Amino acid sequence: MSSGEEPLSPGDRLADVVEFFGVQATDDELCWHLPISPNVANYLGVMHGGCALAAVTAAAETWSERPLAAASAQFMARVPLGGSAEITFDIGSAGKRMTQVLAQVTDSADGRVLMRALLALGGRRLGIDQDWGQPPDVPGPDEWQRRTVPDNAVASFSTDADIRFGPHRAGDRRILCWARLAGTLASTRQGLIALADTLATGMHRSLGLKWRGGSIDNTVRIAGDADCEWVLLDIETDGFHNAVGHGVVRIYTPDGGLLATGNQSFAVARVSGPVEGFRP
């Protein structure tokens, strides 16, 4: 790499991402505040894990001035809508091209640990970028109907995101959907992280049962850059064992470019019958 090469930067959409998820800087660049607003809550009225991880990465990109490469989180507890969380960062290493960070998110009210995350930020340009993604051949988003939500759903990220599932049946391993957020936010790194949490909804549909429970973990790896309104999620459920389900997701641009990959584990606390509410 030539010494005159410009360093990677998070790009000019980061300010919009920070505003959308509402993460707030403090006097200490390694300490941030996160109000649990509708933009970071799910339809049950509690913190949305994917959105919280997106907010954490937006804060990290801001102070490191480096784009996210990968993020992996474990979830311990939730905060209700109207509450708030504190984010602290511990820099593991900060080299010339990569920064490795441990983030911890705690409840502002009682200090409970809500989430821990490992982040890798940075990279370099070597002229070798390519992907081996194999996007499915599907109709555009206008051909699929926007999902409906339960009557008791709280206005939130989960209800406001425009997500359109393709035809499927209970038992199908593969579930496809188009998704968009305000403007082109869906294709930002943070938008991809938040939308990757749709994997759990795909797992509901594959199993054909509705349940209550929560995400154990969520890992998202950034595989491309784009500025597009819609993204295509290709969700596959691997299986359930001892009431814990595992799945993977790949996210593409409308023209087939790979943007991100992710995987997630979900703990089922209670099964209550056939899938209802979120329907294509």
Side-chain angles (χ1 to χ4, degrees):
M1 183 183 68
S2 65
S3 59
E5 181 182 319
E6 293 183 5
L8 297 178
S9 72
D12 57 10
R13 292 191 290 171
L14 180 56
D16 293 334
V17 168
V18 169
E19 180 179 1
F20 180 86
F21 291 109
V23 64
Q24 301 171 357
T26 70
D27 292 339
D28 183 347
E29 67 175 7
L30 299 182
C31 297
W32 290 67
H33 182 68
L34 179 63
I36 308 304
S37 68
N39 281 1
V40 288
N42 65 20
Y43 79 99
L44 296 173
V46 297
M47 185 182 78
H48 183 288
C51 291
L53 182 55
V56 168
T57 65
E61 286 193 345
T62 300
W63 60 256
S64 71
E65 299 183 343
R66 290 179 169 179
L68 181 80
S72 182
Q74 286 190 310
F75 304 103
M76 289 80 167
R78 300 178 179 182
V79 175
L81 188 64
S84 63
E86 307 302 323
I87 304 168
T88 56
F89 295 101
D90 181 7
I91 301 174
S93 66
K96 292 182 178 180
R97 303 302 173 197
M98 296 294 298
T99 299
Q100 303 270 9
V101 180
L102 171 66
Q104 181 162 280
V105 182
T106 57
D107 188 336
S108 299
D110 58 19
R112 287 180 304 150
V113 177
L114 307 173
M115 179 179 83
R116 291 191 178 99
L118 293 173
L119 313 179
L121 304 108
R124 61 194 302 181
R125 296 183 179 91
L126 289 178
I128 62 171
D129 290 2
Q130 57 184 305
D131 71 69
W132 286 263
Q134 297 180 338
D137 184 10
V138 299
D142 290 341
E143 300 296 317
W144 293 348
Q145 293 184 350
R146 183 170 181 168
R147 71 177 180 184
T148 57
V149 299
D151 293 337
N152 62 346
V154 174
S156 62
F157 176 87
S158 297
T159 59
D160 291 346
D162 188 347
I163 296 178
R164 306 184 183 191
F165 282 93
H168 61 272
R169 296 175 297 178
D172 288 348
R173 179 191 182 193
R174 193 179 194 184
I175 306 294
L176 302 171
C177 66
W178 287 102
R180 68 174 172 180
L181 304 175
T184 60
L185 192 66
S187 62
T188 63
R189 290 174 294 276
Q190 287 72 26
L192 296 171
I193 289 170
L195 289 170
D197 219 5
T198 306
L199 197 162
T201 305
M203 291 164 64
H204 274 262
R205 292 165 183 261
S206 290
L207 193 61
L209 295 172
K210 62 179 180 179
W211 69 69
R212 289 293 179 89
S215 296
I216 299 174
D217 58 26
N218 189 4
T219 297
V220 180
R221 301 174 178 90
I222 304 303
D225 291 306
D227 190 2
C228 51
E229 180 182 11
W230 289 96
V231 296
L232 177 65
L233 280 71
D234 185 355
I235 298 169
E236 292 186 355
T237 299
D238 289 329
F240 286 81
H241 180 65
N242 292 335
V244 177
H246 311 283
V248 299
V249 61
R250 294 175 178 85
I251 308 179
Y252 297 93
T253 65
D255 61 2
L258 183 65
L259 288 173
T261 65
N263 55 66
Q264 189 171 22
S265 298
F266 200 95
V268 180
R270 176 172 58 88
V271 175
S272 53
V275 169
E276 298 175 1
F278 286 111
R279 297 184 297 272

